[in-house]
Amino acid sequence: MASIFIITGKGGVGKTSVAAAHAVRSASEGRNTLLVSADMAHNLGDIFQTRAGGHVQEIGPCLSVLELDPYLLMREEYPHINRAIANLSGSMGMAVGQIGDSYMIPGLENLFSLLKIRDLYLGGCYDRIIVDCAPTGETLSLLKLPELLSWYVEKFSPVGRTLTRVLTPFARIRYQMELPDGAAMDELGQLYEKLIRLQELLKDPEITRVRLVCIPERMVVEETRRSYMYLNLYRYPVDSVFINRILPEKTGSSFMDGWREIQSGYISELESVFTELPITRIPWYPQEIRGAEAVRRLSAEVMDDDRLFDRPVRTDNEIYARIEGGYSLTIRVPGASPEDVEVFPRDMDIDIRIRNFMRSIPLPGVLRGARPSSVRLEDGTLTICYAVKEKPEMTTEDNH
């Protein structure tokens, strides 16, 4: 089975170098490997000092690179949506991104790149796909898109499709507005289906692993902790942490010795937070990681781990269990504080908000009409208990 490894972290921590080292190590094992940049700020070509672009480029035995261009993907694979965005933005004065004859609603760029990664995986040409992803803030924002797109799909199809067809002439005459046509609505539906399948793919620990890259600095440490919490909330399988740019033991400078002491404190903090994950320390090299030889050196010195691509990952997240008087739902949210967490029952869903991220979790049928009887957060595990008057038959745990 092919694998996907998503390398992410705060901007400027060395994600690309770590992703490139993964790819070189994978290719050295004889595995057909594709290194993909899903970040709009591409630099795979810079780090390997070779040409790279919107089409796959082979740069060595078993190793290819690809810098995804979401505008190109939008124009080639979703032409009707592209035209609808152009028409709607022109008639409404909307601010959209434009390159050539490609249009993009701000915030959707990385979505199309991730959808392309799904297609590359399903194509079956590669044993491993290493993804140099966008900074964690942008990557995590994609998790909100399924609910947003599902709302539009539900509103416009099939009733919405009829309304759009009826209202289009009126909108064109009265407001000089071009509504999406049937072809665009079809593509929107296909886009939604692909996005749902993409999430299933990225949340499968047998296929996808997320790896966090950070450096021992206060702001980066805090963002890495939050990212790990949010990724667990959405059930994305995180299996490793890479601490980059660690100063050597002997620097011969009191100034650098002071910085090393500061780094040591943050490294200890990271190790105390990520006790259940393997942590790889990467030294701060005297030269920048640039060129194939430098990447091979980094790979040989840091990625020398027989289980680099087969590290264990916890899968005991989001579990329903029978308890006395009802059922419980447990969700791992390591690093969350009680004041950060809010729980709201809504119809047959439970909404969980942690700071500025919210996830809606569908409830099983046995809990129809039940309301939470208690909510507690202990040791990074959120437990929501439901009391039910009658105890339905349920012989096994319902794991999600």
Side-chain angles (χ1 to χ4, degrees), residues 104-124:
M104 187 77 67
I105 296 176
L108 292 185
E109 298 93 341
N110 294 319
L111 167 64
F112 289 95
S113 295
L114 288 177
L115 286 171
K116 184 60 178 180
I117 292 168
R118 167 193 174 273
D119 295 340
L120 290 167
Y121 173 84
L122 295 178

Side-chain angles (χ1 to χ4, degrees), residues 318 320 329 348-350 359-364 400:
E318 194 174 318
Y320 286 98
L329 166 63
M348 283 301 295
D349 295 345
I350 188 77
R359 182 180 172 214
S360 295
I361 301 177
L363 298 176
H400 285 240

Side-chain angles (χ1 to χ4, degrees), residues 230-360:
Y230 295 141
L231 288 164
N232 272 272
L233 174 65
Y234 286 93
R235 293 195 302 119
Y236 279 70
V238 181
D239 76 341
S240 303
V241 176
F242 292 81
I243 306 178
N244 196 17
R245 297 178 189 160
I246 298 177
L247 291 170
E249 286 298 322
K250 296 181 180 179
T251 60
S253 163
S254 59
F255 176 81
M256 297 306 294
D257 288 345
W259 270 108
R260 189 177 66 249
E261 185 176 348
I262 293 173
Q263 283 195 346
S264 178
Y266 291 138
I267 292 171
S268 297
E269 182 177 342
L270 287 165
E271 290 176 337
S272 68
V273 170
F274 299 106
T275 55
E276 60 192 36
L277 298 180
I279 295 178
T280 301
R281 297 189 180 198
I282 304 175
W284 198 330
Y285 288 95
Q287 295 85 28
E288 62 180 336
I289 305 299
R290 188 176 182 188
E293 187 58 37
V295 176
R296 281 193 291 268
R297 176 189 173 191
L298 174 62
S299 180
E301 294 181 358
V302 178
M303 306 296 169
D304 187 19
D305 180 357
D306 293 338
R307 300 199 65 185
L308 178 65
F309 297 105
D310 188 30
R311 291 177 173 175
V313 60
R314 293 190 63 169
T315 58
D316 58 340
N317 199 19
E318 194 174 318
I319 298 176
Y320 286 98
R322 184 72 176 268
I323 60 175
E324 183 177 356
Y327 296 88
S328 68
L329 166 63
T330 58
I331 301 170
R332 295 181 61 252
V333 283
S337 301
E339 60 269 20
D340 295 332
V341 180
E342 297 178 273
V343 176
F344 308 94
R346 178 172 59 86
D347 299 327
M348 283 301 295
D349 295 345
I350 188 77
D351 291 345
I352 301 174
R353 181 189 297 276
I354 300 181
R355 297 183 183 178
N356 58 333
F357 280 82
M358 186 175 74
R359 182 180 172 214
S360 295

Side-chain angles (χ1 to χ4, degrees), residues 75-184:
R75 183 175 67 248
E76 292 185 349
E77 302 191 17
Y78 301 96
H80 298 290
I81 293 180
N82 183 63
R83 187 177 65 250
I85 292 175
N87 292 339
L88 194 61
S89 63
S91 58
M92 296 183 65
M94 294 170 55
V96 299
Q98 179 181 0
I99 294 181
D101 56 353
S102 295
Y103 298 82
M104 187 77 67
I105 296 176
L108 292 185
E109 298 93 341
N110 294 319
L111 167 64
F112 289 95
S113 295
L114 288 177
L115 286 171
K116 184 60 178 180
I117 292 168
R118 167 193 174 273
D119 295 340
L120 290 167
Y121 173 84
L122 295 178
C125 297
Y126 303 100
D127 299 314
R128 292 175 182 145
I129 298 176
I130 315 295
V131 184
D132 176 22
C133 214
T136 43
E138 297 176 43
T139 301
L140 288 168
S141 68
L142 298 177
L143 301 175
K144 301 178 181 180
L145 286 172
E147 294 179 8
L148 176 63
L149 289 180
S150 65
W151 187 88
Y152 281 105
V153 171
E154 290 170 1
K155 296 300 180 183
F156 278 101
S157 180
V159 176
R161 183 187 303 276
T162 302
L163 288 175
T164 300
R165 185 170 58 249
V166 172
L167 293 176
T168 292
F170 175 78
R172 184 182 297 119
I173 296 172
R174 179 66 176 82
Y175 298 105
Q176 293 78 50
M177 180 188 301
E178 290 288 343
L179 296 180
D181 58 18

